[in-house]
């Protein structure tokens, strides 16, 4: 699990009214909650190979309904990957926010925009990773 504050997507998500961020004791750490279900949100950073990264990029550009019906793929993490997925997932799997980034010029740069899914769509997307 990753620290929410260290994610590139943290700034964008902190402005989202579906999310509440509570600072920890003395400002250390934070607790992120998905408001509609009051479920705690966990943060993840996953790395993928170039082949998987390209497949993930194609999937994230599809409409949600197409992802739910046509995708049965699962992606396996790579120990040192060229693609990095930052993901925030609620414990009840009813909220997922993710952004894919690619390593280029000695840093990770976004390949996709921040994608946010809720309800059954979030459950289906989360099952891929």
């Amino acid at each position: 699990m990753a620290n929410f504050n260290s994610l590139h997507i943290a700034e964008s998500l902190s402005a989202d009214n579906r999310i509440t961020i509570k600072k920890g004791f003395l400002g250390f750490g934070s607790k992120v909650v998905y408001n509609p279900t009051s479920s705690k949100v966990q943060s993840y950073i996953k790395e993928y190979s170039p082949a998987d990264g390209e497949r993930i990029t194609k999937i994230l550009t599809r409409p949600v309904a197409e992802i739910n019906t046509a995708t049965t793929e699962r992606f396996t993490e790579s120990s040192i990957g060229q693609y990095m997925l930052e993901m925030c997932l609620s414990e009840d799997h009813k909220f997922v926010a993710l952004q894919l980034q690619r390593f280029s010029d000695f840093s990770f740069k976004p390949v996709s925009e921040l994608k946010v899914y809720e309800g059954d769509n979030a459950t289906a997307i989360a099952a891929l990773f």
Side-chain angles (χ1 to χ4, degrees):
M1 239 180 319
N3 180 352
F4 176 78
N5 294 324
S6 68
L7 298 178
H8 292 103
I9 63 174
E11 184 178 336
S12 298
L13 282 178
S14 63
D16 193 326
N17 61 2
R18 295 171 285 195
I19 299 293
T20 300
I21 302 168
K22 300 175 184 174
K23 297 287 183 187
F25 181 67
L26 296 175
F28 295 107
S30 59
K31 181 179 178 184
V32 182
V33 177
Y34 175 54
N35 294 331
T37 62
S38 300
S39 181
K40 186 177 177 186
V41 174
Q42 302 291 333
S43 303
Y44 302 93
I45 295 177
K46 300 181 178 208
E47 293 189 24
Y48 296 98
S49 68
D52 278 344
E54 292 297 324
R55 289 187 358 220
I56 293 169
T57 302
K58 289 177 184 174
I59 285 175
L60 292 180
T61 58
R62 293 181 187 171
V64 177
E66 190 176 318
I67 294 172
N68 290 345
T69 58
T71 306
T72 58
E73 299 183 63
R74 299 289 183 267
F75 300 102
T76 54
E77 288 185 69
S78 175
S79 58
I80 300 176
Q82 186 176 4
Y83 285 85
M84 177 178 69
L85 182 76
E86 291 186 341
M87 180 169 67
C88 292
L89 176 65
S90 65
E91 288 180 340
D92 63 0
H93 291 215
K94 296 299 179 186
F95 172 84
V96 66
L98 44 90
Q99 183 176 43
L100 187 65
Q101 301 175 20
R102 183 173 187 233
F103 191 76
S104 175
D105 297 329
F106 301 104
S107 66
F108 283 99
K109 300 202 176 10
V111 173
S112 70
E113 61 187 32
L114 175 64
K115 301 280 188 170
V116 178
Y117 302 98
E118 294 182 279
D120 293 335
N121 294 333
T123 304
I125 298 295
L128 299 174
F129 306 102

